[in-house]
């Protein structure tokens, strides 16, 4: 196994070297500089993505690990993914998952106080971080390879025997509350939050935000129970890259995860009961001179058979930077926004959204919305040009090696695929990636545009000065009510401490 | 699923608010360990026209991170044209004589006609400014305030834009790179430099040479005026519509009195819409001449071959006629403490700045060490004020050594139930300890270890190496990437004590305190009253 692995890496390097050597050999310096870049000639770049099977190990102690040795620098990077997440929080304990994650690496361990542990890690210049997000937990340790054993022994205690020191719990709560108080300060924060409510519904677990009450109610017993429930080797997937010997590292990992002091549970499936908002314009009033706009439609999961055409379609419409239709019109043609584009990410566990977004001065918000709507509509009416399709495909295909640009990216990419089930379901995903892109036709793009892009279904969120935005701009015969006949709904700001909608003032 | 970012924010710029910036600065300059310092193997060449080329060969992935830095930033501007360096950064993506248009001659003719109309519009805009000064109008940007002549001219201008657009190949500069597998194309402008960068597949190095040399040799600044509007939106996004953007701008301007760091990189709101294409052309002729540029390549290429290609492509650009003028104005010595007491949509916080030493100054290394002693969860400020007296929930410190001058910053978030004044005094108390007693050896070693480890961490991929070289070269000397580490390891406890006492004094500081602005409803009433006054 080890030899095979080493061979494949050597082969990979050799292929690159050949490609470059060929390039040098065929170039003639005497050539004139051409007028256009198409007249330049390039040798093909031979590249095959790394094969996950070459790095994958099922540890006896439970986790699946991906090991990618690399001796360029005297550093080791260890990334542990944990099957846990915000979705596992009890109803009245919003914030518990995040706080558990935060305190693992910051609350001390059985044998060390938080201060002793942090001081030691700092002296070793070792970076240790822990967190729990929506659908996973993450621990990252980056340290000098000479300190590997000491680092691993600290990591073991952090994972298996965290202390959750009382003063650190109190401090974390205080810091959480500081964050909570700022929830309405940034218009971008308001936008992100309200997007979540419109896209997935008030009842969806991802919209159960922490409150002052839920944070204050979290106890050490809650943290310990959450930790014991999910932080168990059977729930871990591991990515290791850097300066180590593969066989030795396997032994070290077995020790790291062996003889776990408690039994954890198997987490239940992630709930998928999302509910998309009624079409219409939703506005949150905020005193800023630039309106933030997000235009959303129900989206896809990443394993949808149409996902590759969706990716290409979105790239042409708004995901592909300057040359995408939305950017070209809203920004370059009209100068209406600095940032404009669209995203059509596939969800791992449940469909996400199609979202077109931009920020424009209050008075031009309605006009810019009308332009984006036009571009969305056009995608469903006419096929994209052959040139556009080819550019999008070349971009995905020729930039593909960047997915595995570094050794730590290789390890983390494969660990993530393992964690999210992609490796089991489509082990050849990356091997076939470029062919799947290449196979997309203009008719596929038109078909998925028609499947997903329904302008009359758009939920349009605006955060900005309501009165100014409603006025529109004298140069453009467009208002919010003309672009979306379903009317404008004002969304009240939410009280940052309770997340309950605040009573709107009886203005106008 | 792809490396393309959905909400890519392509060309852009400027350092952000002060506290945020310190974190950025720390991300590039805090680190290390008593191991042997890791050298970055840079090959330096100077082309026949004076342009510099730096190369780092690295065979980790089949890719090249390519960039170049123009030794020009906002500090080379003057009042009236503030924001020009940054606007320029945007204009450099607009194409060349052959990239971006189907008919270069007609395109050029339309641009001249556009300029004639814009000259007339500028005369109208001068009238608007006069009306504003007299109090006849209250908003220079409101569409209702434009003069009838301006509106008529704008209509003519828009017709020319439409004609030009019919000839254009939209954003073709981006298109060419995208089709070739280029990624993460972007640029930034700071007070001291403007830098442009992209990653290309290893077999496309010559495309990079062609594209980058063409946009320097045959640039066409088309769509100048719509791009100016884009920049204004960028200002709204970063400065006007963020809770602290305007305050950070004001505080920075208060702090820097005489050096050209006094104005923001994005430019004053009055200047951005007034910059003319002629201003831009003049600026380009001086500051984008090859002797004022450094190209940098990191990745999988043969340096001999790359050097020859660089000479062929960049070497053809004629040397500039005029050397860029030196920046003469020094920061005057501050004689008294300055204060700004702000009410904003934010938790209470404190931000303190001191004038210190510029990039490469012999004291800047001890100041870096001092900043790191104060930073992070095991640093002095966190231990003293977050864990100890518990008057703060977060704290940070940083030394920002710029090309012409430097500053040291300390800031913190006030814990609920305490005041900015308490935290301010707490911060001074921690700093005073470092002025009185030398830092213990173990603590100093901890900090040096982190600087040393960073010497390795910064080398993990092509792009970060490129960005480090850009930054060091832009601030004044790429060699610092290999020399600063040694100088930091040589800093003694006595050095730290000396620089703390020398720079962190009362008369040398500027202090910003922030309190949360009163409730929404009160502010709305105030706004309403202001509107009625107008």
């Amino acid at each position: 196994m080890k030899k095979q692995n080493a061979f494949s890496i050597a082969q990979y390097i050799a292929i690159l070297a050949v490609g470059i050597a060929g390039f040098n050999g065929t170039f003639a310096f005497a050539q004139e500089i051409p007028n256009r870049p198409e007249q330049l000639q390039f040798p093909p770049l031979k590249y095959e993505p790394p094969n996950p099977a070459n790095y994958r190990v099922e540890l006896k102690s439970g986790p699946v690990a991906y090991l990618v040795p690399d001796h360029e620098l005297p550093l080791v990077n260890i990334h542990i993914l944990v099957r846990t997440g915000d979705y596992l929080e009890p109803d009245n304990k919003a914030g518990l998952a995040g706080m558990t994650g935060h305190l693992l690496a910051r609350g001390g361990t059985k044998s060390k106080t938080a201060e002793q542990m942090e001081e030691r890690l700092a002296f070793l210049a070792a970076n240790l971080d822990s967190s729990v997000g929506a659908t996973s937990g993450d621990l990252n340790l980056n340290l000098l390879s000479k300190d590997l054993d000491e680092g691993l022994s600290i990591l073991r205690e952090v994972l298996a025997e965290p202390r959750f020191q009382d003063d650190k719990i109190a401090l974390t709560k205080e810091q959480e509350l500081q964050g909570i108080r700022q929830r309405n300060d940034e218009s971008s924060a308001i936008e992100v939050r309200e997007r979540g409510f419109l896209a997935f519904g008030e009842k969806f677990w991802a919209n159960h935000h922490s409150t002052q009450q839920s944070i204050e109610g979290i106890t050490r017993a809650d943290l310990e129970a959450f930790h014991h429930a999910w932080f168990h080797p059977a729930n871990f997937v591991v990515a290791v890259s850097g300066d180590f010997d593969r066989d030795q590292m396997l032994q070290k990992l077995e020790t790291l995860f062996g003889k776990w002091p408690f039994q954890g549970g198997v987490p239940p499936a992630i709930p998928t009961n999302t509910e998309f908002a009624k079409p219409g314009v939703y506005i949150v009033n905020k005193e800023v001179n630039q309106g933030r706009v997000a235009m959303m439609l129900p989206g896809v999961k990443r394993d949808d058979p149409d996902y590759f055409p969706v990716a290409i379609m979105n790239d042409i419409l708004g995901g592909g930077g300057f040359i995408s239709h939305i950017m070209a019109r809203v920004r370059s043609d009209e100068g209406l926004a600095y940032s404009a584009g669209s995203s059509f990410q596939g969800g791992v566990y449940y469909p996400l959204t199609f979202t077109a977004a931009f920020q424009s001065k209050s008075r031009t918000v309605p006009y810019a919305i009308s332009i984006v709507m036009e571009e969305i509509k056009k995608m469903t009416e006419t096929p994209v040009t052959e040139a556009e399709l080819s550019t999008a495909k070349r971009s995905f295909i020729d930039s593909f090696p960047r997915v595995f640009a570094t050794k730590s990216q290789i390890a983390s990419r494969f660990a993530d695929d393992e964690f999210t089930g992609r490796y089991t379901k489509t082990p050849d995903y990356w091997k076939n990636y470029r062919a799947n892109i290449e196979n997309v036709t203009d008719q596929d793009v038109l078909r998925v545009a028609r499947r997903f892009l329904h302008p009359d279904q758009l939920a349009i969120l605006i955060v900005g000065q309501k009165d100014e935005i409603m006025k529109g701009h004298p140069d453009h015969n467009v208002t919010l009510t003309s672009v979306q006949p379903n009317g404008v709904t004002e969304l009240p700001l939410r009280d940052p401490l309770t997340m309950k909608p605040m009573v709107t003032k009886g203005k106008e | 699923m792809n490396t393309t970012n959905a909400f890519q924010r392509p060309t852009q710029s400027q350092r952000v608010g002060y506290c945020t910036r310190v974190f950025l600065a720390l991300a590039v300059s805090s680190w290390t360990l008593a191991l042997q310092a890791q050298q970055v193997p840079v090959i330096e060449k100077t082309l026949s026209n004076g342009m510099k080329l730096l190369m780092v060969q690295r065979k980790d992935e089949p890719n090249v991170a390519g960039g170049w830095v123009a030794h020009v930033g906002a500090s080379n501007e003057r009042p009236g044209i503030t924001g020009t360096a940054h606007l320029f950064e945007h204009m450099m993506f607009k194409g060349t004589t052959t990239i971006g248009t189907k008919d270069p001659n007609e395109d050029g003719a339309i641009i001249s006609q556009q300029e004639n109309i814009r000259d007339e519009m500028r005369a109208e805009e001068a009238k608007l400014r006069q009306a504003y000064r007299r109090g006849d109008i209250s908003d220079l940007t409101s569409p209702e305030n434009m003069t009838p002549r301006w509106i008529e001219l704008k209509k003519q201008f828009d017709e020319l834009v439409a004609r030009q657009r019919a000839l254009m190949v939209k954003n073709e500069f981006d298109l060419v790179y995208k089709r070739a597998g280029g990624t993460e194309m972007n640029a930034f402008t700071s007070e001291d430099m403007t830098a442009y960068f992209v990653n290309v597949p290893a077999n496309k190095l010559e495309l990079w040479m062609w594209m980058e040399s063409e946009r320097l040799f045959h640039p066409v600044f088309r769509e100048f005026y719509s791009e100016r509007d884009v920049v204004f939106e960028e200002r709204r996004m970063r400065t006007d519509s963020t809770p602290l953007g305007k305050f950070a701008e004001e505080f920075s301007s208060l702090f820097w009195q005489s050096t050209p760091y006094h104005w923001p990189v994005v430019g004053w709101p009055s200047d951005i819409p007034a910059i003319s294409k002629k201003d831009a052309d003049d600026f380009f002729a001086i500051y984008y001449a090859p002797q004022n540029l450094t190209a940098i390549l990191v990745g999988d290429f043969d340096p001999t071959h790359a050097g020859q290609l660089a000479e062929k492509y960049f070497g053809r650009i004629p040397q500039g006629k005029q050397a860029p003028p030196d920046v003469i104005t020094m920061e005057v010595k501050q004689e008294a403490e300055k204060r700004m007491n702000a009410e904003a949509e934010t938790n209470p916080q404190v931000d303190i700045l001191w004038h210190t030493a510029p990039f490469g100054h012999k004291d800047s290394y001890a100041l870096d060490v001092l900043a790191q002693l104060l930073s992070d969860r095991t640093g002095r400020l966190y231990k003293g004020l977050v864990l100890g007296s518990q008057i703060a929930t977060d704290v940070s410190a940083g030394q920002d050594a710029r090309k012409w001058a430097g500053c040291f910053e300390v800031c913190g978030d006030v814990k609920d139930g305490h005041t900015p004044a308490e935290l301010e005094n707490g911060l001074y108390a921690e700093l005073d300890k470092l002025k009185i007693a030398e830092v213990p050896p173990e603590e100093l070693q901890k900090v040096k270890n982190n600087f040393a480890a960073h010497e390795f961490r910064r080398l993990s991929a092509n792009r970060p190496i490129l960005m480090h070289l850009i930054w060091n070269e832009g601030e004044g000397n790429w060699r610092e990437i290999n020399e600063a580490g040694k100088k930091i390891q040589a800093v003694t406890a006595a050095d730290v004590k000396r620089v703390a006492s020398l720079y962190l004094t009362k008369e040398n500081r500027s202090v910003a305190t922030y309190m949360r602005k009163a409730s929404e409803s009160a502010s709305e009433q105030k706004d309403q009253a202001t509107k009625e006054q107008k």
Side-chain angles (χ1 to χ4, degrees):
Chain A
M1 187 74 183
K2 186 196 168 196
K3 272 183 186 155
Q4 198 182 5
N5 182 17
F7 175 69
S8 75
I9 292 172
Q11 196 178 37
Y12 158 80
I13 291 165
I15 288 167
L16 299 183
V18 169
I20 298 306
F23 178 34
N24 293 340
T26 53
F27 185 83
F29 279 103
Q31 280 173 342
E32 288 295 303
I33 291 173
N35 283 331
R36 291 277 312 174
E38 292 78 17
Q39 292 153 13
L40 296 169
Q41 295 202 337
F42 309 107
L45 187 74
K46 293 195 180 97
Y47 175 80
E48 281 308 318
N51 178 358
N54 290 346
Y55 306 99
R56 187 177 187 275
V57 184
E58 291 178 13
L59 296 174
K60 293 185 201 81
S61 48
V64 168
Y66 287 84
L67 276 65
V68 188
D70 168 29
H71 302 288
E72 187 186 2
L73 299 167
L75 291 165
V76 178
N77 199 57
I78 299 167
H79 179 196
I80 299 172
L81 286 149
V82 185
R83 295 190 193 285
T84 180
D86 295 338
Y87 79 98
L88 295 166
E89 287 170 342
D91 275 348
N92 57 346
K93 298 283 180 188
L96 172 62
M99 203 185 288
T100 308
H102 179 86
L103 278 166
L104 273 184
R106 297 179 178 209
T109 66
K110 194 176 173 188
S111 77
K112 290 182 184 65
T113 65
E115 291 74 19
Q116 287 166 341
M117 189 179 95
E118 295 212 51
E119 201 63 52
R120 185 60 192 159
L121 287 168
F123 192 82
L124 299 176
N127 296 337
L128 173 67
D129 275 308
S130 60
S131 64
V132 173
T135 55
S136 70
D138 291 271
L139 278 97
N140 273 294
L141 175 63
N142 178 286
L143 79 179
L144 291 159
S145 43
K146 71 178 179 62
D147 301 323
L148 181 60
D149 289 338
E150 185 174 353
L152 287 174
S153 76
I154 291 174
L155 185 59
R156 159 79 188 201
E157 286 199 20
V158 163
L159 281 165
E161 298 170 300
R163 183 183 287 223
F164 295 120
Q165 213 167 292
D166 285 329
D167 58 342
K168 299 297 177 200
I169 296 175
L171 174 62
T172 303
K173 286 183 179 184
E174 194 55 52
Q175 288 168 332
E176 285 287 317
L177 289 172
Q178 283 284 71
I180 283 177
R181 288 183 198 107
Q182 310 225 72
R183 274 174 171 164
N184 290 337
D185 292 351
E186 297 263 4
S187 51
S188 57
I190 298 170
E191 184 205 333
V192 168
R193 190 170 72 224
E194 295 302 328
R195 265 157 85 156
F197 283 110
L198 293 173
F200 306 121
E202 296 271 343
K203 290 181 191 138
F204 192 56
W205 61 266
N207 288 323
H208 293 171
H209 295 274
S210 61
T211 62
Q212 180 174 21
Q213 198 181 10
S214 78
I215 293 294
E216 284 173 351
I218 290 169
T219 63
R220 182 135 80 100
D222 294 328
L223 296 164
E224 285 169 348
F226 195 87
H227 169 256
H228 267 62
W230 317 119
F231 282 78
H232 180 273
N235 286 336
F236 297 163
V237 174
V238 184
V240 191
S241 60
D243 181 26
F244 57 83
D245 174 90
R246 190 173 180 280
D247 286 347
Q248 285 175 15
M249 180 56 82
L250 279 176
Q251 286 310 309
K252 290 178 201 292
L253 291 178
E254 294 291 11
T255 310
L256 174 65
F257 300 119
K259 298 184 190 132
W260 211 251
F262 56 88
Q263 284 291 320
V266 178
I270 291 160
T272 59
N273 56 327
T274 62
E275 194 182 337
F276 195 82
K278 287 202 187 87
V281 177
Y282 298 85
I283 186 160
V284 182
N285 190 37
K286 171 88 176 164
E287 279 300 313
V288 284
N289 66 1
Q290 188 181 57
R292 300 187 68 92
V293 179
M295 304 166 67
M296 294 186 290
L297 288 166
V300 279
K301 281 176 67 181
R302 73 175 186 189
D303 55 5
D304 190 290
D306 274 340
Y307 192 64
F308 285 94
V310 160
I312 295 284
M313 189 275 289
N314 180 64
D315 190 76
I316 296 169
L317 172 59
F322 275 103
I323 63 164
S324 70
H325 297 180
I326 291 175
M327 186 69 134
R329 283 203 63 202
V330 175
R331 174 169 160 151
S332 322
D333 281 358
E334 306 280 348
L336 293 172
Y338 171 70
S339 162
S342 68
S343 138
F344 209 155
Q345 297 268 318
V348 177
Y349 305 104
Y350 50 91
L352 299 178
T353 58
F354 164 80
T355 306
F358 63 86
Q359 298 89 45
S360 187
K361 60 186 174 294
S362 306
R363 298 288 295 271
T364 49
V365 161
Y367 179 53
I369 289 176
S370 74
I371 291 177
V372 175
M373 285 181 86
E374 267 174 44
E375 291 305 325
I376 291 173
K377 197 151 167 278
K378 273 188 214 160
M379 289 302 285
T380 67
E381 288 168 348
T382 34
V384 295
T385 65
E386 189 48 46
E388 281 183 317
L389 182 65
S390 150
T391 297
K393 286 192 200 175
R394 287 324 317 160
S395 172
F396 278 89
I397 291 167
D398 287 350
S399 66
F400 175 66
R402 304 241 70 217
V403 174
F404 301 102
T406 65
K407 300 299 183 286
S408 87
Q409 266 173 279
I410 294 172
S412 278
R413 179 76 266 161
F414 290 152
D416 191 69
D417 285 354
E418 180 80 34
F419 187 81
T420 55
R422 181 188 264 161
Y423 179 73
T424 313
K425 201 175 165 192
T426 43
D428 291 337
Y429 180 81
W430 298 110
K431 192 178 163 199
N432 298 333
Y433 178 92
R434 287 172 294 180
N436 282 325
I437 290 285
E438 197 62 86
N439 290 339
V440 174
T441 66
D442 61 344
Q443 288 308 307
D444 291 332
V445 170
L446 186 64
R447 180 171 51 75
V448 298
R450 285 174 177 165
R451 181 181 158 198
F452 293 104
L453 302 183
H454 303 286
D456 58 335
Q457 296 299 306
L458 280 166
I460 302 173
L461 171 67
I462 305 170
V463 181
Q465 281 168 327
K466 185 184 170 212
D467 295 349
E468 286 293 300
I469 291 168
M470 296 294 284
K471 271 188 212 163
H473 194 281
D475 290 359
H476 312 290
N477 188 23
V478 178
T479 62
L480 285 187
T481 36
S482 73
V483 291
Q484 235 297 1
N486 286 358
V488 179
T489 308
E490 180 164 358
L491 298 175
L493 269 180
R494 289 165 200 268
D495 183 316
L497 301 179
T498 64
M499 291 308 281
K500 295 219 167 77
M502 293 195 279
V503 183
T504 42
K505 293 165 285 284
K507 206 175 128 192
E508 289 168 310
Chain B
M1 71 173 292
N2 188 262
T3 50
T4 312
N5 184 343
F7 292 102
Q8 202 179 359
R9 290 186 173 160
T11 85
Q12 64 174 277
S13 78
Q14 62 164 336
R15 311 188 194 193
V16 280
Y18 260 85
C19 274
T20 327
R21 190 180 62 210
V22 165
F23 286 117
L24 291 177
L26 284 179
V28 271
S29 88
S30 61
W31 17 63
T32 88
L33 179 120
L35 291 171
Q36 196 186 352
Q38 180 81 9
Q39 296 287 297
V40 184
V42 180
I43 301 169
E44 182 181 12
K45 277 178 108 73
T46 303
L47 306 183
S48 54
N49 56 6
M51 184 167 170
K52 204 190 284 182
L53 172 67
L54 307 177
M55 294 178 285
V56 180
Q57 189 184 18
R58 223 178 143 263
K59 294 209 176 257
D60 195 38
E61 54 159 334
N63 203 278
V64 177
W68 50 277
V69 53
H71 298 278
V72 58
S75 60
N76 301 95
E77 297 163 353
R78 56 174 168 75
I81 64 158
T82 65
T84 301
H86 171 240
L87 178 61
F88 233 96
E89 175 214 318
H90 282 242
M91 293 316 298
M92 290 300 288
F93 290 85
K94 292 299 184 181
T96 69
T97 43
T98 64
I99 296 284
T101 184
K102 286 174 254 177
D103 185 343
N105 293 335
E106 181 64 11
D107 183 60
I110 294 173
I111 291 175
S112 312
Q113 292 169 44
Q114 288 177 345
E115 278 312 292
N116 292 339
I117 294 176
R118 279 285 165 179
D119 282 340
E120 283 194 62
M121 288 172 77
R122 274 187 276 276
E124 294 300 307
E125 286 157 8
K127 289 179 197 165
L128 284 179
R129 283 193 289 273
Q130 189 58 15
Y132 178 84
R133 290 184 193 110
R134 284 194 304 258
D136 296 342
I137 57 170
S138 61
D139 182 355
L140 285 169
T141 61
S142 166
E144 284 79 9
N145 288 340
M146 298 301 149
T147 64
R149 178 63 183 152
W150 190 94
I151 292 167
E152 190 191 312
L153 289 163
K154 177 72 168 30
K155 207 168 275 171
Q156 291 174 25
F157 181 82
D158 287 344
E159 279 160 22
L160 285 173
V161 168
R163 270 178 56 202
Q164 184 182 30
R165 205 169 277 163
L167 309 173
M168 270 173 49
V169 184
K170 198 74 191 167
N171 292 321
E172 193 181 12
F173 195 84
D174 301 72
L175 178 67
V176 172
Y177 269 131
K178 186 176 162 77
R179 212 158 41 199
T183 53
E184 296 178 82
M185 178 165 72
N186 214 326
F188 72 80
T189 309
S190 77
E191 291 84 352
D192 298 329
M193 72 191 86
T194 314
Y196 302 81
F197 33 85
V198 62
N199 309 312
V200 290
N203 62 337
K204 303 279 171 61
L205 178 64
E206 190 174 3
L207 177 69
W208 182 84
M209 298 278 180
W210 191 95
M211 293 286 281
E212 303 303 320
S213 64
E214 275 291 305
R215 70 166 151 177
L216 284 163
F217 195 29
H218 300 122
V220 177
F221 306 134
R222 54 178 74 86
E223 295 185 301
F224 183 82
Y225 295 94
S226 64
E227 198 60 28
R228 233 177 41 175
D229 293 343
V230 169
V231 168
F232 216 94
E233 290 294 350
E234 185 177 357
R235 183 187 156 82
R236 285 191 190 95
M237 187 186 82
R238 296 182 194 279
T239 308
D240 299 346
S241 329
T242 53
L244 297 184
K246 287 172 293 223
F247 299 98
E249 182 176 280
E250 185 166 330
F251 186 47
S252 175
S253 200
L254 174 86
F255 176 74
W256 297 109
Q257 184 174 347
S258 51
T259 64
Y261 295 147
H262 177 68
W263 51 82
V265 172
V266 74
W268 294 122
S270 55
D271 294 4
I272 297 170
I275 297 168
S276 70
K277 198 181 149 294
K278 169 144 192 337
D279 293 329
D281 289 343
D282 295 347
F283 202 78
F284 183 83
I286 294 175
Y287 293 106
Y288 280 73
Q291 66 266 39
N292 205 38
L293 308 175
T294 304
I296 307 172
L297 294 168
V298 182
D300 192 0
F301 58 87
D302 170 45
T304 310
H305 176 242
Q308 288 163 338
L309 280 178
E311 182 59 45
K312 173 176 170 176
Y313 281 91
F314 291 100
R316 67 191 161 133
I317 303 167
Q319 202 156 20
K321 293 187 183 82
Q322 197 182 341
D326 193 17
V327 169
I328 289 164
T329 309
M330 300 274 184
E331 185 65 15
V332 290
K333 185 172 179 297
Q334 185 173 315
E335 299 295 348
E337 181 190 57
K338 301 180 198 173
R339 298 192 73 88
M340 178 180 96
N341 299 322
E343 289 180 17
E345 283 189 288
T346 183
N347 290 333
Q349 54 187 282
V350 179
D351 190 1
I352 309 167
L353 293 171
W354 291 264
H355 294 284
T356 54
F359 181 86
H361 187 286
K362 60 186 173 55
D363 284 348
S364 66
Y365 312 97
L367 286 160
D368 277 340
V369 171
L370 173 64
Q372 198 54 34
L373 283 163
L374 295 167
S375 298
D376 294 345
R377 294 204 302 276
T378 64
R380 291 279 181 115
L381 296 181
Y382 199 88
K383 279 184 179 169
L385 303 169
V386 178
L387 304 177
S389 61
Q390 301 189 12
I391 55 177
T393 53
D394 205 1
V395 282
S396 70
Q399 152 75 358
D400 182 9
R402 301 185 191 175
K403 194 171 181 176
W404 314 115
C407 66
F408 195 88
E409 178 181 40
V410 162
C411 48
D413 294 341
V414 179
K415 186 174 167 179
D416 202 33
H418 295 268
T419 63
E422 280 174 79
L423 178 54
E424 189 186 339
N425 288 328
L427 290 165
Y428 297 146
E430 287 300 328
L431 299 176
D432 286 344
K433 288 181 200 164
L434 286 160
K435 296 177 193 171
I436 292 161
E438 286 188 3
V439 54
E442 172 107 346
E443 192 181 354
L444 184 61
Q445 192 58 48
K446 173 185 76 180
V447 164
K448 288 186 179 179
N449 287 350
N450 280 275
F451 278 98
H454 178 75
E455 297 261 304
F456 299 114
R457 289 196 174 113
R458 66 187 179 161
L459 301 178
S460 62
N462 296 342
R463 187 63 174 261
I465 298 172
L466 171 70
M467 298 314 284
H468 270 88
L469 280 167
I470 283 177
W471 192 260
N472 281 279
E473 178 66 2
E475 293 297 4
N477 182 6
W478 69 264
R479 287 189 176 79
E480 278 291 297
I481 200 170
N482 287 330
E483 289 168 8
K486 285 173 261 177
K487 293 175 189 169
I488 280 169
Q489 294 300 324
V491 169
T492 65
D495 293 333
V496 173
K497 187 179 158 201
R498 182 181 60 79
V499 296
S501 309
L502 179 65
Y503 294 106
L504 307 186
T505 63
K506 185 177 181 188
E507 61 276 11
N508 189 33
R509 76 190 175 212
S510 298
V511 185
T513 66
Y514 293 88
M515 289 298 288
R516 182 169 281 285
K517 194 172 81 176
S519 76
E520 284 267 308
S521 53
S523 76
E524 268 176 26
Q525 282 161 13
K526 211 175 101 201
D527 285 349
Q528 203 54 44
T530 329
K531 273 175 201 157
E532 278 158 16
Q533 266 177 14
K534 291 168 190 169

